[in-house]
Amino acid sequence: QVQLVESGGGLVQPGGSLRLSCAASGSIRTIYTMGWYRQAPGNARDLVARISSGGSTNYADSVKGRFTISRDNAKKTVYLQMNSLKPEDTAVYYCNAALMRSDTGIIQTSWGQGTQATVSS
């Protein structure tokens, strides 16, 4: 079994910061790309940022210059530092990982349960 557990969401005022974390655990041999997606009510789930196993990153245009994705491969953890937050950043943030299972050798995509980030005064 594979689990992704997010933490770090909450309520913050516009202009504030939040740092999200996502730790992977279970039957994992290798983690490839890890990423963060978000979904606001009534909207689709969209990519926010992703990072390869080698550290290459991609960002949605709406968060470039404000958000930073990073990872600690030894801890199987990905982070999202969110600065200069805006009300439109309010959403449930989901962690995502492409990985190879150690028990079956199957490559799969796993998702976390989501963490709410609310930006409001």
Side-chain angles (χ1 to χ4, degrees):
Q1 188 172 353
V2 173
Q3 281 190 314
L4 299 181
V5 179
E6 299 111 333
S7 61
L11 173 64
V12 65
Q13 292 186 341
S17 299
L18 285 173
R19 186 181 191 232
L20 307 183
S21 300
C22 171
S25 63
S27 302
I28 300 171
R29 176 175 297 167
T30 305
I31 301 179
Y32 304 106
T33 299
M34 302 185 82
W36 289 95
Y37 290 71
R38 67 186 180 186
Q39 187 169 21
N43 290 358
R45 188 176 297 187
D46 294 324
L47 174 70
V48 176
R50 60 187 171 200
I51 183 168
S52 70
S53 56
S56 297
T57 58
N58 295 97
Y59 294 92
D61 287 343
S62 59
V63 307
K64 283 181 180 176
R66 300 188 298 122
F67 290 11
T68 302
I69 190 170
S70 61
R71 64 190 284 173
D72 184 328
N73 291 329
K75 294 182 179 179
K76 298 185 176 67
T77 299
V78 63
Y79 306 95
L80 186 68
Q81 178 66 44
M82 305 189 294
N83 298 329
S84 302
L85 283 161
K86 304 175 181 179
E88 51 264 42
D89 295 317
T90 295
V92 178
Y93 283 73
Y94 296 90
C95 172
N96 164 281
L99 54 91
M100 177 183 286
R101 296 179 62 117
S102 57
D103 52 354
T104 63
I106 291 173
I107 296 175
Q108 69 181 46
T109 298
S110 295
W111 290 90
Q113 81 287 353
T115 185
Q116 176 72 44
T118 301
V119 185
S120 175
S121 55

